[in-house]
Amino acid sequence: MSPALPAAYAVPFAELALANVVREYPNAPAHLYGGPEELVEPRALHPAFYGGYDWHSTVHMHWLLVRLLRRFAHTGDLPATLTTRVREVLDTHLTPENLAVEAAYLRGRPHFERPYGWAWLVALAAECRAVGTPEGDRWADALAPAVEVVGELLTGWLPRATYPVRHGVHPNSAFGLGLVLDAGPRAGLSGAVLDAVADRLRAWFTEDHDAPAHWEPSGQDFLSPALTEADAMRRVLPADAFRSWLAGFLPELTTSPLLTPPVVSDHADPQIGHLLGLTLSRAAALRTIGDALGRGPVRDALAASAEAHLAVGLPTVSSGDFSSDHWLATFAALALDTPPGH
């Protein structure tokens, strides 16, 4: 199940992401207004990440642009004119001045986008560093103060996070912290922060067993609570320990309802449409969990299910409906390629 983002997606995904990161409206700010003086346009609050409907979506659409640049600029699958447009947007948004404002915003509002948006910002910084060129390093350097703030916020939050958030939307603890572990080393998070993340995941989830997979999905999930947790534990347990843990957590995995793609009755409904993302995030988790298990019938079943989920989700990524177009391509990239920062 080795991932490789197909070149056929380079142009459509880049066009989607470019359109979104510069689209200031419609906008759903998650800003707690302290007074009328804060009634300003989105780009005044977020000069780097003002587009794409909401903050986390524009952060991970920037990640997608950098991933596409890294994968396809040198192959010719991303045409020179489109490559130039991508670089111009990244150069305009990912400046030290803009990112200083974003870092200050995060520091002043320690609950904002926790942990989902934090994780995607770390992933973006890691992806910039992974480009391996002066421009990639320039963007990563500009992001470094914001990454440092995320490290501070994680250090302050994790000891107080007695319980995880398990539901299948943005505050899900396992998904966000899993991304942090994937991308954190390359983004520049310290070993102490990453150890604290891994320790918290083990503290939350090691004793879990018999996950209620038949409860999934909820009506607006774009993450699977069970698979996301399993994928997080894959990252923090030795291989043999993970296989033993998974056997107790999802004891009937090959016949689990988690392997059946969800029914998505209304693609344009912003909440029901989350289930389209579930098809893609499940595909990603099924692939990485299967890889951790090694060859055998369980891995084969997970691989087949991942393909079935992709068959439902991929055709919907570019529908022309903004409610899904502003975010789904990122999750398609997760399902089809290596983790953020790799």
Side-chain angles (χ1 to χ4, degrees):
M1 287 195 281
S2 298
L5 184 61
Y9 292 108
V11 170
F13 282 11
E15 292 285 7
L16 268 179
L18 282 171
N20 278 288
V21 298
V22 299
R23 182 188 284 123
E24 191 167 5
Y25 298 101
N27 198 294
H31 177 72
L32 179 63
Y33 288 94
E37 71 281 359
E38 295 183 11
L39 294 171
V40 297
E41 68 273 12
R43 72 175 66 212
L45 297 172
H46 299 296
F49 305 125
Y50 59 83
Y53 186 70
D54 46 31
W55 192 85
H56 53 259
S57 295
T58 193
V59 171
H60 65 61
M61 279 295 194
H62 280 80
W63 172 84
L64 180 60
L65 286 173
V66 180
R67 171 58 62 99
L68 295 171
L69 194 68
R70 179 157 74 94
R71 279 281 193 255
F72 299 117
H74 66 285
T75 66
D77 295 298
L78 205 62
T81 54
L82 190 52
T83 298
T84 297
R85 290 169 56 203
V86 170
R87 287 186 167 124
E88 287 175 347
V89 165
L90 294 171
D91 278 338
T92 299
H93 289 184
L94 303 183
T95 67
E97 296 78 14
N98 288 347
L99 272 303
V101 175
E102 299 285 0
Y105 189 95
L106 290 171
R107 180 174 281 116
R109 295 163 182 83
H111 308 117
F112 176 74
E113 294 279 1
R114 183 181 76 192
Y116 183 81
W118 297 356
W120 275 114
L121 188 136
V122 171
L124 171 59
E127 197 65 29
C128 290
R129 193 67 74 190
V131 172
T133 65
E135 65 183 356
D137 287 341
R138 183 173 69 250
W139 301 328
D141 289 344
L143 282 156
V147 172
E148 182 178 355
V149 172
V150 169
E152 295 170 6
L153 294 174
L154 284 166
T155 298
W157 170 58
L158 288 171
R160 299 181 287 110
T162 306
Y163 309 107
V165 175
R166 297 177 184 271
H167 55 70
V169 289
H170 307 89
N172 182 283
S173 302
F175 180 81
L177 295 190
L179 281 186
V180 168
L181 289 179
D182 284 342
R186 183 163 263 166
L189 286 178
S190 72
V193 171
L194 296 172
D195 288 346
V197 169
D199 288 346
R200 180 51 62 191
L201 288 169
R202 285 188 288 263
W204 281 335
F205 299 133
T206 296
E207 300 304 319
D208 282 2
H209 56 87
D210 297 308
H214 60 286
W215 289 1
E216 296 191 33
S218 292
Q220 59 185 31
D221 281 354
F222 67 89
L223 303 169
S224 161
L227 292 178
T228 298
E229 177 177 335
D231 205 26
M233 292 301 279
R234 167 190 64 80
R235 295 169 169 101
V236 300
L237 292 178
D240 289 344
F242 171 68
R243 294 179 186 123
S244 177
W245 178 89
L246 186 66
F249 182 64
L250 290 168
E252 304 294 336
L253 182 53
T254 57
T255 58
S256 171
L258 298 173
L259 302 194
T260 301
V263 174
V264 190
S265 61
D266 186 351
H267 291 194
D269 183 286
Q271 300 305 319
I272 296 173
H274 269 181
L275 294 166
L276 297 172
L278 180 65
T279 68
L280 300 170
S281 67
R282 274 188 181 179
L286 289 164
R287 170 171 56 80
T288 52
I289 292 167
D291 285 347
L293 296 177
R295 297 182 183 277
V298 177
R299 182 184 180 184
D300 292 344
L302 299 191
S305 176
E307 291 300 318
H309 279 80
L310 286 172
V312 174
L314 282 177
T316 72
V317 167
S318 181
S319 67
D321 188 315
F322 180 67
S323 65
S324 56
D325 282 3
H326 78 275
W327 67 286
L328 278 179
T330 305
F331 279 79
L334 288 183
L336 294 167
D337 210 357
T338 55
H342 287 226

